[in-house]
Amino acid sequence: MNKINEDIALAKWLCKELSSGNKKAIVKVYDAYHQFFLNVIRRRLYESDDYKPEDVFSIFWEKKMMEAKVFCRYKGDATLRSYLCSILYYQINDINRIIEQERKNLVTDEIKETHDKSQKTPADLLIKIEEERAIDRKEKLRREVILEILSRLS
């Protein structure tokens, strides 16, 4: 219970300091939890070329941790680390959704390209029909020539 009381006091102090514009006050939390948060991100983040654990940590730090309201809302239901970790989980889940959507779009685009390549347009079909007709005409003409030659030989 002593840890929770310390966390509540720290959160109140951070709320007051960040609200007044003292961004340096967050250093204490950064020093205490930086490595832990990076490890959480490494374990939970989907593999992606666009999102690296350090980038996700920076996003989390800039968008969430620098806001006074994050610390002002802390009520002491769990340790401060657990509370901040739950916020981090939401951030990771949001980015994982983005990564998954990008993967689905990539697969959909590849399927669409393959489908587009295999699907003939009306112009392609007309060209194919005309080519077949030309081959048929050439074949008929060839047969006629062969028959004419054979008739002359006999």
Side-chain angles (χ1 to χ4, degrees), residues 48-66:
S48 169
D49 294 333
D50 296 332
Y51 296 97
K52 303 290 183 216
E54 293 77 16
D55 299 333
V56 174
F57 180 77
S58 294
I59 293 167
F60 169 69
W61 200 257
E62 291 169 14
K63 287 188 174 183
K64 301 295 181 186
M65 298 296 286
M66 298 303 284

Side-chain angles (χ1 to χ4, degrees), residues 48-154:
S48 169
D49 294 333
D50 296 332
Y51 296 97
K52 303 290 183 216
E54 293 77 16
D55 299 333
V56 174
F57 180 77
S58 294
I59 293 167
F60 169 69
W61 200 257
E62 291 169 14
K63 287 188 174 183
K64 301 295 181 186
M65 298 296 286
M66 298 303 284
E67 294 181 8
K69 67 182 178 181
V70 168
F71 296 99
C72 295
R73 290 181 182 159
Y74 176 67
K75 302 295 182 216
D77 296 331
T79 64
L80 184 60
R81 184 175 94 164
S82 296
Y83 169 75
L84 296 174
C85 199
S86 69
I87 296 169
L88 177 60
Y89 287 158
Y90 284 112
Q91 186 76 37
I92 294 169
N93 290 340
D94 289 345
I95 292 173
N96 282 343
R97 269 190 229 100
I98 293 168
I99 292 169
E100 192 60 32
Q101 188 61 46
E102 288 172 354
R103 287 180 185 166
K104 285 179 183 175
N105 290 343
L106 183 64
V107 170
T108 302
D109 290 345
E110 287 178 15
I111 291 171
K112 188 176 180 183
E113 282 180 25
T114 304
H115 180 69
D116 289 345
K117 288 178 185 175
S118 66
Q119 194 173 29
K120 304 278 187 206
T121 64
D124 292 335
L125 294 174
L126 287 174
I127 291 170
K128 186 176 180 182
I129 290 169
E130 287 301 318
E131 287 172 349
E132 289 172 358
R133 284 183 185 165
I135 291 171
D136 288 344
R137 278 188 235 122
K138 286 180 186 177
E139 196 61 40
K140 276 185 180 179
L141 187 59
R142 193 174 295 146
R143 282 187 203 144
E144 289 173 9
V145 170
I146 290 173
L147 287 174
E148 175 105 20
I149 293 171
L150 286 175
S151 68
R152 285 186 189 171
L153 290 175
S154 29

